[in-house]
Amino acid sequence: MASKYAFAAGLKEIRFHLCQTGETSSALRSFLMRTYPTMKKHNPYIPIMIREAQGVEPKVFARFEFGKEKSLPLTDMDDKTIETRVTELVKSPA
């Protein structure tokens, strides 16, 4: 479990966009409540930002070295699917 949350060496930040009350963001809220402490513990120097806005669709952004950025929509996914997608996203900048 620990290696699952160890981010790639070139990762500079990760941002989660979600709605505070929207049903489409409920799985992402649950995922963040469960995994944020572990992610932060294993990556203390990488900013993990959570941006909340009314009506926004859930999405995750990863910014790597040299300004390269990748994003994934997380709409209507369950907690485990979000975990898998985020894990894949933070492992490689390619």
Side-chain angles (χ1 to χ4, degrees), residues 65-78:
E65 292 177 324
F66 308 112
K68 182 173 174 105
E69 189 167 289
K70 291 171 47 178
S71 67
L72 293 173
L74 302 174
T75 305
D76 296 329
M77 293 184 186
D78 66 348

Side-chain angles (χ1 to χ4, degrees), residues 24-84:
T24 58
S25 295
S26 65
L28 181 55
R29 287 192 302 272
S30 171
F31 168 77
L32 289 171
M33 292 290 290
R34 182 175 58 83
T35 61
Y36 180 85
T38 307
M39 285 191 291
K40 198 59 185 172
K41 178 182 175 189
H42 293 289
N43 307 283
Y45 301 109
I46 297 176
I48 302 172
M49 295 180 271
I50 301 169
R51 301 291 183 241
E52 297 177 322
Q54 190 65 33
V56 71
E57 294 297 318
K59 201 168 193 178
V60 61
F61 296 85
R63 188 173 54 84
F64 295 91
E65 292 177 324
F66 308 112
K68 182 173 174 105
E69 189 167 289
K70 291 171 47 178
S71 67
L72 293 173
L74 302 174
T75 305
D76 296 329
M77 293 184 186
D78 66 348
D79 190 293
K80 293 297 181 187
T81 306
I82 290 173
E83 183 173 18
T84 303

Side-chain angles (χ1 to χ4, degrees), residues 60-62 64 70-72 85-92:
V60 61
F61 296 85
F64 295 91
K70 291 171 47 178
S71 67
L72 293 173
R85 300 285 303 263
V86 170
T87 302
E88 292 169 1
L89 180 69
V90 299
K91 293 291 181 187
S92 67

